Amino acid sequence: MKRKANAAQASTSQLELPLGRQQAVHDLSYYIGLGKVFATYHKRWPTVASSREEFRAARVHAYDGQRIDRELRFPAPELEADPAYRALRERSLADGMADGVTLAVLDPRYRTVLSEAGMAGLFESIVLPRPGSPGAVRYATGVPAHGPGELTLHIGDAIRARALRLAELDPDDVRVFAAAFSVRVQASGELTDFIDRVGICGPADALHLADDYLLEAGDDGRLFLTCRVHAGRRYAGSFDVASLACRLAPVYRADPVLAGLRASAPPAPPPAPAAAPAPHSDEELREQLAALEPEGRCLNLPIQDLSRLADIRRLLEQAGGVFSTQRQRFDFEEGIDPAEVVARLLSGGAP
């Protein structure tokens, strides 16, 4: 009897201690638990290359990195039905990860996002950089330098246009668009902790934070932390687009530069360029003929190619000109004014 009890006990999976029995439903939290047990023992998150011996040393049997990665990419029905798994897969695919959820995606550095309170506090600190005192430090463009812990926030065009309309400004006015483009926020403790945890460009340095990072608030309601050095970025959380536009509108409304643009009329749009003449038309011939440059007793060809050069050559040779291929010009005898010849041809006269 004692021998049977020991056999039953030996058949129990050792995963039961931290993770429950293997017969339990394998949802997303189950695989996160596998990674946590591995990380607790090895002090690092597992990868696809993590061997079965490494998992066994952490008391996780029958698993290796490849198996976990495969089961995540090709989920069983129980895992497929897990809302947390589906949400993580949608986010991974939106971030450009073609395989969806993988073992690397379960890394806490990727799954970490800002809280709603942290996101709201970040947007509450929005300011527009404006020229300060004459002795203030500025960039070469004249814009004030970033202060300690200050970051540039790139806002989607649709959100910016919505906020400008709420502030009674014209988003189609290029002057308004340029004045409202640059927005900055103050990094909170939660954001710097997030930066340290995801570790794209190294730890957050308050004095040089803007040199390494910037934030992007997209029109789809997702916030990304972008690294300027390595061109990488990490998803930082979701936000309500309408709330951000409402928060941004009073910042635009109170800005003196934008207020001055509201009071002044926008510049008149430049005249539309004239339509090009139709190919092989008389108008095209006259336009190219007028491009010839008189110089003494010569007519020099312009730099650009002339599609009607053969017709122009025929007309000018009938008027007494001699074409020089080497010098790219028409030479006329003494007593013939090349400018008058061109004027006569443009007015419809005979060569």
Side-chain angles (χ1 to χ4, degrees), residues 174-240:
V174 293
R175 305 170 305 157
V176 171
F177 182 87
F181 181 78
S182 183
V183 173
R184 294 180 185 176
V185 292
Q186 190 68 33
S188 61
E190 183 178 348
L191 178 59
T192 55
D193 290 344
F194 173 79
I195 292 174
D196 290 338
R197 190 164 189 178
V198 300
I200 310 177
C201 302
D205 182 357
L207 294 178
H208 305 286
L209 196 60
D211 296 335
D212 297 331
Y213 297 99
L214 62 85
L215 293 168
E216 298 176 348
D219 292 325
D220 57 356
R222 297 191 302 158
L223 182 72
F224 284 90
L225 174 72
T226 300
C227 178
R228 294 181 181 270
V229 180
H230 304 301
R233 70 175 191 165
R234 283 291 175 87
Y235 173 78
S238 299
F239 61 90
D240 183 69

Side-chain angles (χ1 to χ4, degrees), residues 250-333:
V251 176
Y252 287 154
R253 189 180 295 111
D255 183 69
V257 175
L258 289 172
L261 295 176
R262 184 192 295 114
S264 62
H280 309 296
S281 63
D282 292 342
E283 183 181 357
E284 181 189 50
L285 178 60
R286 286 193 294 269
E287 181 181 274
Q288 296 187 11
L289 187 61
L292 300 176
E293 301 174 359
E295 182 183 354
R297 291 187 296 165
C298 305
L299 282 175
N300 297 315
L301 295 182
I303 297 177
Q304 65 269 25
D305 292 333
L306 300 178
S307 60
R308 305 295 296 276
L309 179 59
D311 296 326
I312 292 174
R313 180 173 178 176
R314 176 177 53 80
L315 291 173
L316 293 181
E317 286 179 346
Q318 290 178 3
V322 178
F323 182 62
S324 173
T325 305
Q326 182 178 2
R327 297 181 179 181
Q328 290 293 287
R329 70 183 189 186
F330 291 91
D331 297 318
F332 290 85
E333 296 180 356

Side-chain angles (χ1 to χ4, degrees), residues 116-182:
E116 291 185 10
M119 193 85 69
L122 188 69
F123 292 154
E124 283 295 326
S125 68
I126 287 178
V127 295
L128 287 168
R130 291 296 180 243
S133 60
V137 179
R138 305 182 185 184
Y139 295 117
T141 57
V143 178
H146 290 81
E150 199 173 40
L151 278 175
T152 294
L153 173 64
H154 287 174
I155 297 177
D157 291 342
I159 299 176
R160 186 186 303 107
R162 184 173 182 175
L164 287 171
R165 292 189 183 95
L166 291 173
E168 299 178 349
L169 291 160
D170 182 7
D172 296 325
D173 188 338
V174 293
R175 305 170 305 157
V176 171
F177 182 87
F181 181 78
S182 183

